[in-house]
């Protein structure tokens, strides 16, 4: 059995409630790091990029659990699942476009407004995730 199969089997065995907790924990750690990056704004582009990359890893580590919840039907228990998806996924995708643009700007002509815009959209994603976390509890 390949290592990826073992990991997938292990992740598939996580209960719905534990998956939600893992999802929220990963996103919260990412948020702390994303906002913590504001305190290090005077650091080098490489340091800031590394911190943002670590935060992104925590944030993207939650995708598997969200995807599993959607497939298992927990997503349908939300009041307005289509609106939630537009809000949560749409704002998340827009946020990460701004984050990528900010990282590129770090190495060219730095534009801090890109990061602030990223944080705004990311907060919409996070708060909509909090809504679903407490709604499905």
């Amino acid at each position: 059995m390949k290592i990826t199969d073992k990991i997938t089997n292990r992740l598939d065995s996580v209960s719905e409630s534990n998956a939600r907790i893992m999802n929220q924990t990963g996103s919260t750690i990412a948020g702390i790091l994303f906002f913590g990056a504001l305190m290090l704004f005077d650091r080098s582009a490489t340091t800031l990029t590394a911190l943002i990359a670590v935060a992104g890893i925590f944030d993207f580590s939650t995708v598997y659990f969200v995807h599993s919840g959607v497939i298992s039907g927990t997503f349908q228990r939300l009041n307005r699942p289509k609106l939630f998806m537009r809000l949560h996924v749409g704002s998340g995708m827009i946020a990460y476009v701004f984050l990528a643009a900010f990282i590129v700007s770090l190495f060219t002509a730095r534009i801090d407004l890109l990061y602030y815009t990223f944080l705004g959209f990311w907060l919409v994603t996070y708060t909509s995730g909090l809504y679903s976390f407490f709604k499905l509890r």
Side-chain angles (χ1 to χ4, degrees), residues 12-27:
D12 284 342
S13 69
V14 174
S15 71
E16 177 188 331
S17 62
N18 284 343
R20 277 199 309 276
I21 291 168
M22 290 172 167
N23 179 9
Q24 202 57 53
T25 302
S27 292

Side-chain angles (χ1 to χ4, degrees), residues 31 69 100 103 114:
I103 291 172
L114 293 170

Side-chain angles (χ1 to χ4, degrees), residues 16 20 65-66 68-78 136:
E16 177 188 331
R20 277 199 309 276
F65 300 112
V66 172
S68 296
V70 170
I71 289 173
S72 68
T74 59
F75 170 69
Q76 298 306 324
R77 293 192 337 232
L78 294 172
L136 296 174

Side-chain angles (χ1 to χ4, degrees), residues 68-95:
S68 296
V70 170
I71 289 173
S72 68
T74 59
F75 170 69
Q76 298 306 324
R77 293 192 337 232
L78 294 172
N79 287 346
R80 300 181 64 185
K82 288 183 181 179
L83 175 63
F84 170 77
M85 284 302 284
R86 285 188 193 121
L87 208 59
H88 192 71
V89 176
S91 62
M93 288 171 36
I94 293 168

Side-chain angles (χ1 to χ4, degrees), residues 86-111:
R86 285 188 193 121
L87 208 59
H88 192 71
V89 176
S91 62
M93 288 171 36
I94 293 168
Y96 275 98
V97 167
F98 278 100
L99 183 60
F102 173 71
I103 291 172
V104 168
S105 83
L106 283 174
F107 296 96
T108 57
R110 184 175 165 148
I111 306 169

